[in-house]
Amino acid sequence: WDVGASLGKYTPMIAAANPRQPVYAFEFNLNSLYYLGYRTAPYPNVTIVPCALTLDSKPMKVTYDPNMHNPATGPMGITFSVAEAISRFGVPAFIKLDVEGLEKEMLEKCGELLRHTTMIVEWHPLEWNHEYPQMPYWRVTKVGPCHSLLEPLEQINPAPAK
């Protein structure tokens, strides 16, 4: 999954790396959807999900303003909770997560559902006060000033065979 796919900077790379695997690109910015569609058109394994991934699946005001820090400017849009997205699309093997400051809360509340998933997370500095949070299901490795690699602990330390 590419959650917060925006203009599709990373979606084509994810799709090209695994051409036989479905890639779901979640994006609720109405302006970004055009560019996301243009950039992912050559990849038949990409499905654009034109909504936000949230904790509660309540409709939310979407936006067409390219600056995600400005108040939403568009109509109400549908959302999927993490549980609903898993039910509909399956448990993802990989997620690029960029949800504009809700990353920590999403992982804290939905971590059990995603505990087997490897992730690249973009942390937003105003939200995490420049500290990388520790996550109970993943080994967290800093890979950039605002990015972490989260690797499932179960894959790093598998349970002994019975």
Side-chain angles (χ1 to χ4, degrees), residues 13-113:
M13 287 186 271
I14 297 167
N18 297 291
R20 293 189 181 133
Q21 295 294 319
V23 176
Y24 297 97
F26 293 82
E27 181 53 50
F28 78 102
N29 183 294
L30 302 172
N31 189 42
S32 296
L33 288 170
Y34 171 83
Y35 298 99
L36 179 60
Y38 177 78
R39 286 184 167 167
T40 60
Y43 303 95
N45 58 327
V46 172
T47 299
I48 295 174
V49 183
C51 64
L53 193 64
T54 64
L55 297 171
D56 58 14
S57 72
K58 291 180 181 174
M60 63 183 276
K61 192 168 181 114
V62 297
T63 189
Y64 55 83
D65 189 328
N67 184 342
M68 297 303 294
H69 299 289
N70 289 339
T73 52
M76 296 299 285
I78 63 166
T79 69
F80 281 119
S81 69
V82 172
E84 289 172 325
I86 288 171
S87 173
R88 184 164 185 115
F89 307 116
V91 177
F94 176 80
I95 295 176
K96 188 275 296 175
L97 183 65
D98 178 7
V99 288
E100 301 303 317
L102 290 174
E103 296 81 7
K104 185 174 187 277
E105 184 179 7
M106 185 173 284
L107 291 173
E108 288 173 344
K109 292 187 177 176
C110 303
E112 178 69 28
L113 297 170

